[in-house]
Amino acid sequence: MLSQTEENYLKALFHLTEEYADKPEAGTNELAAMLNVKPATANDMLKKLKEKKLIHYEKYGKISLTSLGKKQAIDIVRKHRLWETFLYEKLEFTWDEVHEVAEQLEHIHSPKLIEKLEKFLGYPLIDPHGDAIPNAKGELKLQARKTLSQIAVGKTCKLVAVRDNSATFLQYVVSVGLGLSSKIKVLNRQEFDGTMEIEVNGKKSSVSERFANNIFVA
Amino acid sequence: MLSQTEENYLKALFHLTEEYADKPEAGTNELAAMLNVKPATANDMLKKLKEKKLIHYEKYGKISLTSLGKKQAIDIVRKHRLWETFLYEKLEFTWDEVHEVAEQLEHIHSPKLIEKLEKFLGYPLIDPHGDAIPNAKGELKLQARKTLSQIAVGKTCKLVAVRDNSATFLQYVVSVGLGLSSKIKVLNRQEFDGTMEIEVNGKKSSVSERFANNIFVA
DNA sequence: TATATTTGTTAGACTAACCTAACTTTATAT
DNA sequence: ATATAAAGTTAGGTTAGTCTAACAAATATA
């Protein structure tokens, strides 16, 4: 059985290389940064994960998940998103509160618990942030999505998910009047720095390119 | 913040010395046995817990919880029993399945989660095994209880809790036709070894003294 | 293309939680 | 009351996961 730490490394690699990622391989430094450890620490773990056949990795080379590692990673993501859904739907947590607690709950080991939780929640397909929930077989549907920054001036789109699940980001999102399924109209875009003016429910806001890159729309 | 391991030591000490225990102090060996570690290991932890002012302890002396330690222990017991109730009431786990998973869930750190879970469950007072659930202030009602072995021949009593929450014991309990609130009539008792004959819902069974010591009745 | 910068690795050290083996103290039992 | 048994402690070792400091390789840039 994997330790919580090992699970966190696999999950981080999944986010870096598999799900909605531009690159299919990750580096030691970015992995370490994502997990808030030093590169030396990550390096030790990479050797261990390779030994366990969970990742592809050669000294000084790039890192990617093996099919076994990917399977494990998806299982953790599944648990994370089901717990987030539980917290949001049943316990009345807000959008920005669910992530941190789910980070702990995702490491509970009990296949029966997850099966029953999923049933209890009515087999949900997306979590409170709009991310797809993998099914028990590890299948997950990657919806076609663009980022808000890719939408042309004058067009209207719908928020389907957010890239960053941190409380600070989500609180900002809410302050602009946005939530899942919000309709967003793009009023204007600055060539210079990508700053955009948007309209949500009649309310106009100015958002940075960085912000717009973290909003998924369809 | 306490580690999971530290929490487990405090919980074990609580069960040994506070709740329904004959003795107000515990020894190193019995503590180690309860936690499935060697006495030497427990000894190391005792020094640490003393340093943190969670237990009263002197070399070669007996062990007991400080008021701070007791508060922490009760909080863990509270979480354990609320999670057991959730698993039983909402996810349709059986009596004997809840304990093991709750052993993991009790270590999730989030005061808000427990408050909201308690509310979601409707502020339950007892868990699926009949044990009292402490409230948010750490108050718990110790019901007056006897063990089945203390009931006189000819008398009838009601099962209110079980001492051992392990799956094996609970499965045995179920096989005798017993559950929470079952009416038990004591038909006979052997002087020699304490073996008892009981009747539950018209079904007669013979049970050992050891078994009867683990059934709480009122 | 040679050098500087970034990226990645190694060596050595630390802490928490565990172990075994040897030892000491306390309790028990003639 | 003393010997034996039981209970408890200490010393030294292991593993997982972390760190810092020094070094090596790969990449970018002038």
Side-chain angles (χ1 to χ4, degrees), chain A residues 109-170:
Chain A
H109 288 290
S110 169
K112 178 170 259 168
L113 173 59
I114 290 305
E115 274 171 39
K116 292 197 176 251
L117 181 65
E118 186 181 29
K119 184 180 178 189
F120 181 63
L121 297 171
Y123 299 94
L125 297 174
I126 59 165
D127 76 9
H129 305 117
D131 291 307
I133 298 175
N135 67 19
K137 288 178 192 148
E139 299 157 346
L140 85 169
K141 214 178 290 159
L142 297 191
Q143 315 133 277
R145 347 157 126 175
K146 294 175 176 179
T147 62
L148 177 55
S149 43
Q150 294 173 297
I151 302 302
V153 172
K155 297 277 184 186
T156 295
C157 56
K158 189 179 76 169
L159 191 158
V160 296
V162 289
R163 176 172 265 151
D164 179 347
N165 289 344
S166 72
T168 39
F169 179 69
L170 291 169

Side-chain angles (χ1 to χ4, degrees), chain B residues 92-119:
Chain B
E92 302 182 288
F93 273 64
T94 56
W95 221 25
D96 56 301
E97 293 170 331
V98 299
H99 184 72
E100 196 193 357
V101 181
E103 289 282 301
Q104 296 180 62
L105 287 163
E106 71 190 4
H107 299 295
I108 303 292
H109 288 289
S110 169
K112 178 170 257 167
L113 174 59
I114 290 305
E115 276 170 38
K116 293 198 176 250
L117 181 64
E118 186 181 27
K119 183 181 180 188

Side-chain angles (χ1 to χ4, degrees), chain A residues 87-134:
Chain A
L87 295 172
Y88 186 78
E89 299 282 336
K90 302 294 182 181
L91 298 196
E92 303 182 288
F93 273 63
T94 56
W95 220 26
D96 55 303
E97 294 170 332
V98 299
H99 185 71
E100 196 193 355
V101 181
E103 288 282 302
Q104 296 180 62
L105 286 162
E106 73 191 5
H107 299 295
I108 302 292
H109 288 290
S110 169
K112 178 170 259 168
L113 173 59
I114 290 305
E115 274 171 39
K116 292 197 176 251
L117 181 65
E118 186 181 29
K119 184 180 178 189
F120 181 63
L121 297 171
Y123 299 94
L125 297 174
I126 59 165
D127 76 9
H129 305 117
D131 291 307
I133 298 175

Side-chain angles (χ1 to χ4, degrees), chain B residues 3 5 38 40-41 44-45 48 60:
Chain B
S3 70
T5 308
K38 299 299 170 197
T41 305
D44 285 348
M45 183 58 88
K48 199 208 285 193
Y60 293 108

Side-chain angles (χ1 to χ4, degrees), chain A residues 8-218:
Chain A
N8 283 334
Y9 276 84
L10 294 181
K11 186 170 59 128
L13 284 169
F14 179 74
H15 289 314
L16 284 171
T17 66
E18 295 277 345
E19 195 183 36
Y20 316 125
D22 345 11
K23 312 269 177 186
E25 297 178 309
T28 304
N29 284 5
E30 58 177 337
L31 176 60
M34 177 166 278
L35 292 163
N36 290 307
V37 297
K38 300 297 171 198
T41 305
N43 188 263
D44 284 348
M45 183 58 88
L46 289 175
K47 290 173 189 165
K48 200 209 283 192
L49 294 176
K50 186 193 171 165
E51 192 57 39
K52 291 191 173 186
K53 303 204 186 300
L54 294 162
I55 61 171
H56 297 295
Y57 166 67
E58 297 302 332
K59 209 201 261 195
Y60 292 106
K62 290 295 177 181
I63 311 152
S64 62
L65 292 168
T66 61
S67 59
L68 176 59
K70 184 175 170 182
K71 204 173 136 198
Q72 305 281 316
I74 287 178
D75 194 53
I76 300 153
V77 168
R78 167 171 155 80
K79 289 194 268 183
H80 182 98
R81 294 180 180 167
L82 284 171
W83 280 117
E84 283 193 339
T85 305
F86 169 70
L87 295 172
Y88 186 78
E89 299 282 336
K90 302 294 182 181
L91 298 196
E92 303 182 288
F93 273 63
T94 56
W95 220 26
D96 55 303
E97 294 170 332
V98 299
H99 185 71
E100 196 193 355
V101 181
E103 288 282 302
Q104 296 180 62
L105 286 162
E106 73 191 5
H107 299 295
I108 302 292
H109 288 290
S110 169
K112 178 170 259 168
L113 173 59
I114 290 305
E115 274 171 39
K116 292 197 176 251
L117 181 65
E118 186 181 29
K119 184 180 178 189
F120 181 63
L121 297 171
Y123 299 94
L125 297 174
I126 59 165
D127 76 9
H129 305 117
D131 291 307
I133 298 175
N135 67 19
K137 288 178 192 148
E139 299 157 346
L140 85 169
K141 214 178 290 159
L142 297 191
Q143 315 133 277
R145 347 157 126 175
K146 294 175 176 179
T147 62
L148 177 55
S149 43
Q150 294 173 297
I151 302 302
V153 172
K155 297 277 184 186
T156 295
C157 56
K158 189 179 76 169
L159 191 158
V160 296
V162 289
R163 176 172 265 151
D164 179 347
N165 289 344
S166 72
T168 39
F169 179 69
L170 291 169
Q171 281 157 12
Y172 183 17
V173 172
V174 168
S175 76
V176 180
L178 286 169
L180 265 195
S181 298
S182 292
K183 285 253 166 29
I184 307 170
K185 182 167 187 188
V186 177
L187 302 174
N188 194 9
R189 174 182 287 106
Q190 285 302 133
E191 264 318 306
F192 169 59
D193 60 2
T195 298
M196 297 170 72
E197 236 189 307
I198 60 172
E199 185 178 321
V200 182
N201 283 326
K203 182 183 168 197
K204 292 176 189 176
S205 302
S206 176
V207 300
S208 70
E209 182 168 39
R210 169 98 182 277
F211 178 91
N213 276 330
N214 281 277
I215 301 291
F216 287 117
V217 295

